[in-house]
Amino acid sequence: MSYAECTRFEQKIAFHMAPSLLGIKCANLISLNQTEFNIPEYLEYFNKKFSKKGLIFKILCTHHNKTLVLLYNKILLEHQLQKKKNFEILEKYGYHESSTLEERLHLLSRRIESSEQFPHEIGVFLGYPADDILGFIKNKGENYMFCGYWKVYHNPEHARKIFLNYDKCRNFLCNKLNQGYNIYQALKIS
């Protein structure tokens, strides 16, 4: 992997995944062009480094020239999936309480691959509030109060605060990379 390509990859994940990289969000999703990056090579390398922070990159699916990659913090995501309202959403789509995190991610991956649209439960995996996920489902994606990192149906002030924190993470991490740090230096990973 060339320095320039590696730098582009780091900038892309910093921009799209900063809240999870900095530990305030359980997971982020990114779609990567297969012709732009050697995705399996990058993910293998990044997983070795990021595992020290409890972060894992996982390919959810590949379609045409795009690869959908989930970055997640195992502890935060397991906690997210155990919340009562969140599990009630997951249960409606065939997820079982006794399933491991890996089994749930595998089912999510299969559901993404077999669906024309993103499965509604993806919001649970990305840390969206259950009331907003349910609002999205009930309203078929319409009639939301406002749209930021997700479509907000309930508690807009709380969502605005979260969005502001996500923006701060993105700005911090992207600024570090623009100052010449690599992603590992910016995140203090040796």
Side-chain angles (χ1 to χ4, degrees), residues 49-112:
K49 294 286 222 175
F50 284 119
S51 67
K52 296 171 185 174
K53 280 214 171 242
L55 297 170
I56 300 165
F57 281 95
K58 179 176 180 55
I59 294 175
L60 289 182
C61 71
T62 300
H63 189 65
H64 297 295
N65 250 354
K66 299 286 185 179
T67 298
L68 193 60
V69 177
L70 182 75
L71 168 68
Y72 66 94
N73 177 307
K74 185 176 181 182
I75 293 169
L76 293 179
L77 185 55
E78 285 176 338
H79 177 71
Q80 172 73 6
L81 299 180
Q82 290 171 357
K83 292 179 182 175
K84 187 176 191 286
K85 263 189 168 177
N86 290 338
F87 189 74
E88 288 171 359
I89 294 169
L90 293 177
E91 203 170 35
K92 290 178 187 174
Y93 296 103
Y95 295 83
H96 301 286
E97 194 168 9
S98 61
S99 298
T100 65
L101 177 58
E102 266 309 308
E103 290 167 337
R104 290 176 186 184
L105 290 171
H106 181 72
L107 178 56
L108 176 65
S109 179
R110 283 197 342 249
R111 287 186 40 78
I112 291 170

Side-chain angles (χ1 to χ4, degrees), residues 98-181:
S98 61
S99 298
T100 65
L101 177 58
E102 266 309 308
E103 290 167 337
R104 290 176 186 184
L105 290 171
H106 181 72
L107 178 56
L108 176 65
S109 179
R110 283 197 342 249
R111 287 186 40 78
I112 291 170
E113 288 175 347
S114 66
S115 178
E116 291 180 26
Q117 301 176 339
F118 266 38
H120 295 311
E121 74 271 16
I122 192 127
V124 173
F125 288 87
L126 296 174
Y128 301 169
D131 288 336
D132 288 334
I133 297 166
L134 294 169
F136 182 89
I137 294 167
K138 179 182 175 186
N139 291 281
K140 298 181 173 133
E142 302 295 327
N143 306 318
Y144 49 89
M145 293 177 180
F146 75 98
C147 186
Y149 287 87
W150 64 82
K151 290 182 177 177
V152 177
Y153 292 88
H154 298 278
N155 204 347
E157 287 312 308
H158 181 68
R160 281 187 178 87
K161 288 177 186 174
I162 292 171
F163 295 169
L164 182 60
N165 285 333
Y166 290 175
D167 288 342
K168 287 178 183 177
C169 288
R170 176 183 283 170
N171 292 337
F172 169 81
L173 203 48
C174 289
N175 285 339
K176 285 288 191 184
L177 296 183
N178 289 337
Q179 293 169 13
Y181 292 89

